[in-house]
Amino acid sequence: MTEKIQAIRGMNDILADETGRWQSLEALIRRVLEQYGYQEIRFPILEKTELFAHSIGETTDIVSKEMYSFVDRNGDNLTLRPEGTAGCVRAGLQHSLFQTGVQKLWYNGPMFRRERPQKGRLRQFHQTGVEAFGLPGPDIDAELILLCARLWRELGLDDITLQINSLGSAAARLAYRNVLVEYFTGHKDQLDEDSRARLERNPLRILDSKDPDLQNLIANAPAMSGYLDPESADHFAGLQELLTGAGVTFTVNPRLVRGLDYYCKTVFEWVTSRLGAQGTVCAGGRYDGMVEHFGGKTTPAVGFALGMERLLELADLKEPLDSRPDLYFIHAGAGSEARAMQLAEQVRDAHPSLKVILHCGGGGMKSQFKKADRSGASLALILAEDELARNTVAIKHLRRDLPQREVAWPALPGALSELLMNV
Ligand code: ATP
Ligand code: MG
């Protein structure tokens, strides 16, 4: 081969010395979600492109420039999922989940967006998404936020702050959109190129611009709150009351808008100042119109997605389990290998929680002992010619100054129970 093949930029390998932290985080999230009665759903990574175009919205950054799309051999337009809500809704509709009452679902997995790779911004990244279908009131919005707050607490993160806003009904947003277009058109000379394009296509997104030169203009723009319809205003007031009652601190950020076109009423973001420009750890909101838009019956829905890489960057997670083995099985001499393999299987049968490394790759006793020692195992099992002749195994303590023992083969699992209780 001429050049070494490298992974695609922005798509990282997660090596064995990192997967422990991932597993800890995933286990914690799963446990908290189960505490609230959410159930896991899994759906494909690849979907028809139109699913994303019609749910996220043609004018959003994701659909207009970040999707990995290709034409399949039979002419289908397919896309690697850039987020999970669309696939979750598609699966729910396909399997008639929304006709059987409330659905509280979650998923975790890779998402793909062709962004400029940088710290906290990858092209393959991972999200945990949580979606609740069939509940129209602010109670469920509040529950999702409380669930997040619990996660941060359990992770020991006290510097993630909550911002909320209401985008109102579709009609209210349209009215607000017109007001915004008028305002920004009046200041067109101050807009950057991106924002000028957004002015026609998706003016609400100008509020989301990260351009420092625009911040003043954005701060002085008319706020959505002045244009909320009464129902959305009530919903928003209800949410704030519930959050206050539950002791959750929040800021109302009238400039907070979200990428999806179908968001309505509640939107929220959890933000930290510790990750620079990539400070949003978790974001979500209500999308009451989406199920209906895809041909289902009207189904209120609310959800959020949290960025696993950003959370891992913040959290001080310990490896879940000691990765060191308990036993390292050394064997030498004719016939010992097959016997050692049998005995190791018996030990694994009797003690499913033990890590048993059977030495592979040959070599003399001395080098095997070295490997056993380096592995960090607490005990070595030894089957050399003498032991083989006597139908026994020797058990040697590697970390403690205790005498070596010799046990008959059938007695090995029992002897290990005794010993390992005291290690
Ligand atoms: P941003 O404003 O940072 O681009 P977004 O609004 O595009 O975020 P969402 O689509 O709401 O992000 O995704 C929810 C969460 O997923 C984000 O808050 C973030 O933590 C994470 N996330 C989004 N895009 C990426 C990415 N390219 N790399 C890593 N994490 C990401
Ligand atoms: Mg983005």
Side-chain angles (χ1 to χ4, degrees):
M1 229 173 4
T2 44
E3 238 177 87
K4 266 199 213 138
I5 298 178
Q6 304 271 324
I8 296 165
R9 212 160 73 88
M11 301 202 179
N12 292 345
D13 300 310
I14 302 170
L15 300 182
D17 62 351
E18 294 167 87
T19 46
R21 297 184 68 239
W22 280 82
Q23 287 162 8
S24 297
L25 180 61
E26 286 159 4
L28 188 143
I29 291 174
R30 172 185 290 269
R31 179 176 54 67
V32 170
L33 285 163
E34 281 170 359
Q35 270 188 294
Y36 286 79
Y38 286 74
Q39 292 181 299
E40 186 181 6
I41 180 170
R42 301 186 185 196
F43 42 83
I45 285 171
L46 200 57
E47 297 268 6
K48 293 193 177 144
T49 301
E50 60 191 302
L51 173 68
F52 303 114
H54 293 167
S55 58
I56 300 169
E58 304 271 5
T59 64
T60 57
D61 286 353
I62 294 180
V63 174
S64 63
K65 57 187 188 200
E66 294 175 358
M67 294 205 302
Y68 283 97
S69 302
F70 64 95
V71 182
D72 198 4
R73 286 165 202 272
N74 63 357
D76 288 345
N77 288 299
L78 305 181
T79 293
L80 285 170
R81 64 182 188 195
E83 53 94 54
T85 305
C88 188
V89 167
R90 199 263 316 127
L93 276 167
Q94 189 169 333
H95 304 284
S96 309
L97 299 184
F98 306 134
Q99 318 214 332
T100 55
V102 171
Q103 294 286 331
K104 294 184 174 185
L105 303 172
W106 69 274
Y107 48 83
N108 174 268
M111 307 294 163
F112 304 84
R113 296 184 196 176
R114 199 175 190 293
E115 305 199 62
R116 192 168 69 78
Q118 53 198 289
K119 200 175 163 63
R121 196 172 288 288
L122 301 165
R123 290 180 166 184
Q124 174 173 336
F125 62 100
H126 298 76
Q127 282 183 341
T128 295
V130 184
E131 321 279 357
F133 296 95
L135 295 164
D139 48 357
I140 187 69
D141 304 13
E143 176 180 279
L144 289 174
I145 288 171
L146 283 177
L147 193 159
C148 293
R150 180 176 297 276
L151 279 176
W152 316 149
R153 256 195 328 276
E154 298 230 1
L155 287 164
L157 300 172
D158 52 14
D159 54 356
I160 302 185
T161 56
L162 174 63
Q163 301 191 356
I164 59 174
N165 192 22
S166 177
L167 297 181
S169 66
R173 208 159 55 253
L174 193 64
Y176 177 55
R177 181 195 151 109
N178 294 336
V179 173
L180 268 190
V181 170
E182 198 175 315
Y183 171 79
F184 283 119
T185 306
H187 299 86
K188 210 168 177 177
D189 49 322
Q190 293 176 51
L191 293 181
D192 59 10
E193 202 180 314
D194 251 7
S195 300
R196 263 183 224 172
R198 283 173 175 164
L199 188 54
E200 269 139 52
R201 292 158 56 91
N202 198 344
L204 260 71
R205 288 293 280 182
I206 301 177
L207 299 177
D208 201 27
S209 167
K210 310 279 187 295
D211 185 341
D213 295 340
L214 285 183
Q215 295 315 308
N216 222 345
L217 189 64
I218 291 170
N220 289 318
M224 177 72 216
S225 47
Y227 299 85
L228 277 190
D229 51 296
E231 194 198 325
S232 299
D234 271 1
H235 187 107
F236 196 38
L239 172 63
Q240 293 182 53
E241 206 174 300
L242 286 170
L243 291 178
T244 306
V248 178
T249 315
F250 60 88
T251 330
V252 175
N253 174 0
R255 324 282 158 205
L256 183 65
V257 290
R258 302 274 317 124
L260 266 85
D261 279 357
Y262 276 86
Y263 275 114
C264 63
K265 292 185 179 155
T266 310
V267 287
F268 63 90
E269 284 193 3
W270 289 94
V271 188
T272 171
S273 55
R274 265 206 285 152
L275 295 176
Q278 271 59 254
T280 307
V281 180
C282 172
R286 188 163 271 284
Y287 51 99
D288 292 344
M290 200 194 295
V291 173
E292 194 180 359
H293 175 73
F294 280 114
K297 64 168 191 175
T298 312
T299 307
V302 55
F304 68 81
L306 61 87
M308 298 292 278
E309 281 83 359
R310 292 187 194 175
L311 204 49
L312 275 167
E313 187 73 31
L314 290 174
D316 182 21
L317 285 157
K318 304 279 175 292
E319 299 249 343
L321 292 169
D322 196 338
S323 57
R324 286 175 304 185
D326 300 289
L327 305 174
Y328 196 102
F329 206 145
I330 291 169
H331 50 87
S336 71
E337 182 176 63
R339 177 63 65 187
M341 195 165 258
Q342 265 177 17
L343 289 167
E345 284 298 295
Q346 283 165 19
V347 171
R348 293 186 185 112
D349 286 342
H351 299 291
S353 63
L354 288 188
K355 272 193 201 117
V356 184
I357 309 290
L358 175 68
H359 178 79
C360 289
M365 292 288 275
K366 205 169 155 194
S367 85
Q368 289 191 43
F369 262 115
K370 247 191 213 150
K371 289 190 172 120
D373 201 39
R374 248 187 271 139
S375 76
S378 40
L379 296 175
L381 301 183
I382 306 152
L383 185 69
E385 272 156 21
D386 290 351
E387 287 86 9
L388 191 62
R390 292 196 289 265
N391 292 2
T392 61
V393 190
I395 307 174
K396 183 179 162 63
H397 290 268
L398 295 172
R399 314 280 146 215
R400 301 170 74 193
D401 195 13
L402 290 170
Q404 187 165 317
R405 283 180 59 181
E406 192 169 342
V407 298
W409 292 338
L412 179 59
L416 289 172
S417 309
E418 250 170 66
L419 278 171
L420 287 161
M421 293 236 290
N422 310 318
V423 191

